[in-house]
Amino acid sequence: MARLFGTDGVRGLANADLPPELAMSVAAAAARVLHDRDDSQRRVALVGRDPRASGEMLEAAVTAGLTSAGADVLRVGVLPTPAVAHLVGELGADLGVMISASHNPMPDNGVKLFAAGGHKLPDAVEDEIEARLNEQVDRPTGAGVGRVRDVPDAARRYVDHLLAAAPQSLRGLKVVLDCANGAAAAAAPEAYRQAGAEVIAINAEPDGININDGVGSTHLDVLQAVVVERGADLGIAHDGDADRCLAVDASGAVVDGDQIMAILAVAMHDSGELTENTLVATVMSNLGLHLAMREHGVELRTTAVGDRYVLEELRSGGFALGGEQSGHVVLPGHATTGDGLLTALRLMGRMAETGTPLASLAKVMRRLPQVLINVRVADKAAVVVAPEVVAAVAAAESELGESGRILLRPSGTEQLVRVMVEAESEEHAQAIADRVAEIVGTIR
């Protein structure tokens, strides 16, 4: 049986794969686990959501589950995922629940849990919660039932935290901000304006249906056009729950997560903030990031794909910066999870501090052309170790030398093998990727 919790909580089609009954059961089981680990006082859980329509239903279910198990609930309403993580720590909650499917389409939703302090819930605790979903228990009654109250100043608290973590004035910068009709539609424009920037907000009118609908960090074309049309210094794009940040420069060229990390790593290296001169990224980060960090004396540590692995490496090594090419960037000195708003503030702060356009800052690294082919197979684990595939990868590595690389990895969720090739030219990368993918597809 598949594990209920994925790499980012429990996620699926709302009211189908993720019905309110399941959300309520997960919340109740989480409250019981917390109580049994420490019954010295009443547990407090903080609940937030993104604006998708099903979030209203799931918020009610989660709140019912928590209070039915005797936990008090602090509702913060529609806020970014990193805001919920931050407020768990600031308000001293024992548990945080974020109802969001991040960059997924509107019909999806998810339930993500945070431990005390706003850190990701350990796998062992998630497994214990899953094991106790359907247990028969005596529920509290009377005064033992949990109570619910709203936190009216939750958004202000989060914005104040952002401004303290990124104090550089942005006066003189003009930014176009794509909020993806998501959780950052109110907080992000407010934070950037308070920091001093002139903000042109687009896709900042969520109606519960339009989140991530052709907008945000996975659809940059509208942002690119508006930046050029309005003569802005840059554009910033978030996803539905605003844990990601991508950018475009004044010409409309995309500045991806690897380039953002490179810019921030060099800035933090110069200021002495980069612990052990180390950046943490995944194996999917562009080879150009590796080469740029080597040139600037920064060690680049790589992890498996997924923000959870980046977070684990950051915490275990005490490092100060990490993230993914997708724009999910983590600054552990200020946040316990990826925070797209904090990332954007620090990126714009570097522009303001140095007086340098984003296009010039982004030249710190050169993105090598990257080609990714997904090959559907019968047995992904067997394919990646098949002698013919191993030989094809070795031949590709020899051909590429130090000017490129090939990465073969099985999908974490489907019977797919991903063939990724980087080379000096897109034509070369495509040719090698096609050759290896063809061999991968012949394995039975």
Side-chain angles (χ1 to χ4, degrees):
M1 181 177 174
R3 188 174 185 264
L4 177 66
F5 286 89
T7 57
D8 207 22
V10 181
R11 189 177 291 189
L13 181 61
N15 219 23
D17 306 321
L18 180 57
E21 294 86 353
L22 176 58
M24 184 167 66
S25 295
V26 168
R32 290 195 299 270
V33 167
L34 285 175
H35 176 271
D36 291 352
R37 286 176 173 238
D38 180 4
D39 61 0
S40 62
Q41 59 184 359
R42 198 165 172 128
R43 302 290 94 185
V44 176
L46 186 142
V47 178
R49 63 182 178 89
D50 72 24
R52 66 190 76 210
S54 61
E56 299 162 0
M57 169 187 73
L58 294 174
E59 178 189 54
V62 164
T63 300
L66 291 165
T67 52
S68 74
D72 291 335
V73 172
L74 302 176
R75 288 190 308 200
V76 298
V78 175
L79 278 179
T81 291
V84 170
H86 168 72
L87 291 168
V88 168
E90 181 173 319
L91 297 176
D94 304 291
L95 177 72
V97 184
M98 179 63 187
I99 301 164
S100 174
S102 189
H103 59 282
N104 282 27
M106 182 278 294
D108 290 347
N109 217 323
V111 176
K112 183 173 183 176
L113 304 180
F114 292 100
H119 296 283
K120 178 178 169 55
L121 211 62
D123 289 353
V125 178
E126 289 182 343
D127 290 340
E128 186 177 352
I129 291 169
E130 182 172 349
R132 299 180 62 176
L133 283 183
N134 300 311
E135 67 179 354
Q136 298 299 311
V137 296
D138 292 327
R139 293 177 176 171
T141 57
V145 174
R147 305 297 298 275
V148 183
R149 68 180 177 90
D150 294 327
V151 184
D153 64 344
R156 179 192 60 77
R157 286 172 175 268
Y158 174 55
V159 170
D160 287 349
H161 154 69
L162 291 172
L163 297 175
Q168 175 69 46
S169 172
L170 305 182
R171 195 167 306 281
L173 284 183
K174 182 177 181 179
V175 57
V176 178
L177 169 64
D178 186 341
C179 298
N181 291 317
E190 179 66 17
Y192 303 160
R193 287 184 180 122
Q194 285 199 35
E198 177 186 348
V199 179
I200 301 167
I202 62 174
N203 304 315
E205 297 181 357
D207 61 10
I209 307 299
N210 59 5
I211 185 171
N212 297 328
D213 187 9
V215 296
S217 62
T218 54
H219 300 86
L220 295 174
D221 52 328
V222 174
L223 177 63
Q224 291 171 293
V226 176
V227 166
V228 174
E229 176 188 329
R230 301 295 294 270
D233 296 296
L234 78 159
I236 292 291
H238 298 305
D239 59 336
D241 71 335
D243 63 352
R244 296 186 184 191
C245 167
L246 291 180
V248 301
D249 66 24
S251 74
V254 174
V255 178
D256 69 10
D258 284 342
Q259 291 169 294
I260 291 171
M261 285 192 290
I263 293 167
L264 296 184
V266 171
M268 293 171 70
H269 176 272
D270 292 348
S271 65
E273 296 177 82
L274 195 64
T275 308
E276 295 187 26
N277 286 331
T278 297
L279 170 66
V280 178
T282 76
V283 293
M284 290 300 290
S285 277
N286 194 277
L287 178 60
L289 179 62
H290 293 251
L291 299 175
M293 293 301 94
R294 187 183 308 161
E295 181 180 342
H296 285 84
V298 174
E299 178 183 352
L300 181 60
R301 296 200 177 195
T302 57
T303 73
V305 175
D307 68 289
R308 66 183 300 157
Y309 303 112
V310 174
L311 284 165
E312 287 171 4
E313 183 68 18
L314 287 168
R315 292 188 70 183
S316 65
F319 302 122
L321 178 65
E324 299 178 278
Q325 192 179 63
S326 62
H328 190 274
V329 177
V330 187
L331 291 149
H334 306 286
T336 57
T337 188
D339 189 330
L341 280 71
L342 177 60
T343 302
L345 285 167
R346 295 292 290 250
L347 178 66
M348 289 188 284
R350 183 62 169 175
M351 293 174 63
E353 175 190 20
T354 61
T356 306
L358 181 57
S360 297
L361 290 175
K363 288 179 181 177
V364 68
M365 70 163 277
R366 183 174 73 89
R367 282 184 299 186
L368 270 68
Q370 188 179 78
V371 172
L372 177 66
I373 300 177
N374 293 319
V375 185
R376 189 160 294 279
V377 297
D379 185 345
K380 59 189 177 184
V383 167
V384 295
V385 297
E388 305 96 310
V389 173
V390 172
V393 170
E397 289 174 335
S398 178
E399 181 178 340
L400 289 165
E402 293 188 359
S403 64
R405 65 171 179 149
I406 180 169
L407 178 67
L408 204 76
R409 69 181 187 89
S411 165
T413 57
E414 303 175 83
Q415 284 296 341
L416 296 174
V417 171
R418 307 192 194 282
V419 181
M420 189 275 284
V421 178
E422 292 167 341
E424 286 288 340
S425 71
E426 186 164 358
E427 294 76 15
H428 193 194
Q430 188 72 58
I432 292 177
D434 287 341
R435 187 191 319 152
V436 175
E438 184 178 358
I439 294 172
V440 168
T442 65
I443 306 300
R444 294 290 181 263

